[in-house]
Amino acid sequence: MDPAGGHLGEMRAFLEVARRQSFSAAAKALGLTSSSVSKQIARLEERLGAQLLRRTTRRVSLTEAGHLYAQRTDRILADVDEAQRAVADLDGTPRGTLRISAPTVLGTLRVAPAVLACRARYPELRIDLDLTDRIVDLVAERVDVAVRLAAAISPASLVARRLADDRRVLCASPRYLRRHGTPRRLEDLADHDCITLNMEPVARWTLVGPEGERVIPVSGTFRSSDTMTLRDAAVAGLGLANLPDYVVQEHLESGALRRVLPEYGASKRASFAVYAAPARAAVRVLVEALATAMGPGAAGTGKAAKTTP
């Protein structure tokens, strides 16, 4: 990234605030303090002789001059970034800043270890890893690689490298199964305490098995918005859980959790590494590292038509 005090640094700070409508959020994204970002934008407005942002206690918005400057600045910085990438790729050595986005849980358990290993192998890389469950706009937010869980990827202008199948595990603790019995068929789930996400009023598990996809209404006495908390609740014996395999793998191996109805472990989704073509050296080595670390469901490169969050 450009030095914080330079003109380009001020432009980047302004664009981050404009996108996020928040000085604190922009500062966090840039790895700076809110006061530093505020000072940069104040210097920029003084240099331009125009107010770019309206500031209130609750929000930040663009003035007319700010809208115009944001449009031009975005194009300028995109050209600068592209020039830097072109120079960095001259000798094929992975270097420069890599901005990566990944879902929170998958990013923590699978993506981050692969990224750390890649950084250790290529010390000239600078890593900016954002763990978020929202779907980022790679172009507008200048993200180099986004890892997504999806049935397919769009738009067609992006390259999607399939990393691994999204496999699910129905499981419970031995203590719960001793007390309540082990379900033998999907219909038995109606009689069990099921640990679920609290994203909708009525919980439903979409399960794929020998007869295809089934949507099963479930209920229970514990719900949460956090996947790791659901796993911990299952380990504590509070009920059955339906979780990604990478979330419960260690607990299955240790015996803290036991798998039930193992024939219902498939999912129509997969994890993809999504990036724009042509890919520079840093992107290529990162995507290869992700494919190696997250296999064996890794496949080739391709383009598809539709993304599901």
Side-chain angles (χ1 to χ4, degrees):
M1 186 176 293
D2 308 297
H7 194 178
L8 289 179
E10 294 169 2
M11 294 164 69
R12 290 188 193 280
F14 164 71
L15 272 184
E16 286 294 339
V17 174
R19 289 193 186 104
R20 300 172 188 273
Q21 297 184 351
S22 165
F23 278 86
S24 59
K28 183 177 179 181
L30 293 167
L32 302 171
T33 64
S34 295
S35 61
S36 175
V37 171
S38 180
K39 289 176 182 176
Q40 288 187 70
I41 293 176
R43 287 196 299 267
L44 180 62
E45 289 180 324
E46 183 179 359
R47 180 182 292 115
L48 295 173
Q51 182 182 358
L52 302 176
L53 299 170
R54 295 188 187 91
R55 306 159 176 85
T56 67
T57 55
R58 292 191 175 184
R59 60 175 303 205
V60 177
S61 60
L62 290 171
T63 64
E64 183 178 355
H67 277 290
L68 177 62
Y69 191 72
Q71 293 172 1
R72 301 294 180 89
T73 298
D74 191 44
R75 290 199 295 270
I76 291 169
L77 290 178
D79 288 342
V80 170
D81 290 342
E82 184 59 36
Q84 292 174 340
R85 292 188 184 110
V87 172
D89 255 8
L90 282 177
D91 63 357
T93 301
R95 59 166 62 93
T97 299
L98 265 180
R99 300 190 68 182
I100 308 158
S101 173
T104 304
V105 176
L106 179 65
T108 300
L109 297 179
R110 287 289 174 88
V111 175
V115 170
L116 291 173
C118 188
R119 170 61 181 77
R121 185 175 181 184
Y122 301 102
E124 293 186 59
L125 287 178
R126 294 166 58 91
I127 301 297
D128 184 347
L129 175 59
D130 182 28
L131 300 183
T132 176
D133 292 321
R134 68 183 180 87
I135 302 297
V136 301
D137 185 323
L138 273 72
V139 176
E141 300 181 49
R142 292 196 292 277
V143 172
D144 296 295
V145 180
V147 176
R148 292 179 180 167
L149 282 168
I153 298 298
S154 68
S157 59
L158 297 175
V159 178
R161 171 79 176 264
R162 188 184 182 98
L163 301 173
D165 294 333
D166 177 38
R167 299 198 62 81
R168 311 291 296 185
V169 175
L170 288 170
C171 58
S173 72
R175 177 172 55 175
Y176 175 86
L177 296 175
R178 284 195 301 269
R179 291 177 178 176
H180 302 279
T182 300
R184 304 298 178 187
R185 55 197 186 114
L186 287 184
E187 288 72 18
D188 294 341
L189 295 179
D191 300 322
H192 280 269
D193 212 339
C194 294
I195 300 166
T196 62
L197 289 167
N198 59 7
M199 303 301 183
E200 53 187 11
V202 178
R204 295 177 176 85
W205 286 349
T206 300
L207 304 168
V208 182
E211 73 273 32
E213 184 177 277
R214 297 277 302 276
V215 178
I216 305 297
V218 293
S219 63
T221 57
F222 188 89
R223 306 172 74 201
S224 175
S225 61
D226 178 63
T227 300
M228 306 300 280
T229 300
L230 298 183
R231 181 199 63 190
D232 293 344
V235 172
L238 299 187
L240 292 167
N242 174 28
L243 296 167
D245 59 354
Y246 53 84
V247 171
V248 297
Q249 180 179 349
E250 292 183 6
H251 295 76
L252 292 171
E253 293 172 354
S254 70
L257 291 173
R258 291 181 183 172
R259 190 165 190 166
V260 300
L261 298 171
E263 63 273 26
Y264 293 94
S267 169
K268 289 189 173 181
R269 300 194 308 175
S271 56
F272 294 87
V274 184
Y275 54 96
R280 59 191 174 108
V283 170
R284 293 196 300 270
V285 298
L286 174 67
V287 171
E288 195 59 41
L290 290 171
T292 300
M294 297 173 64
T301 300
K303 297 176 181 178
K306 183 180 179 183
T307 298
T308 57

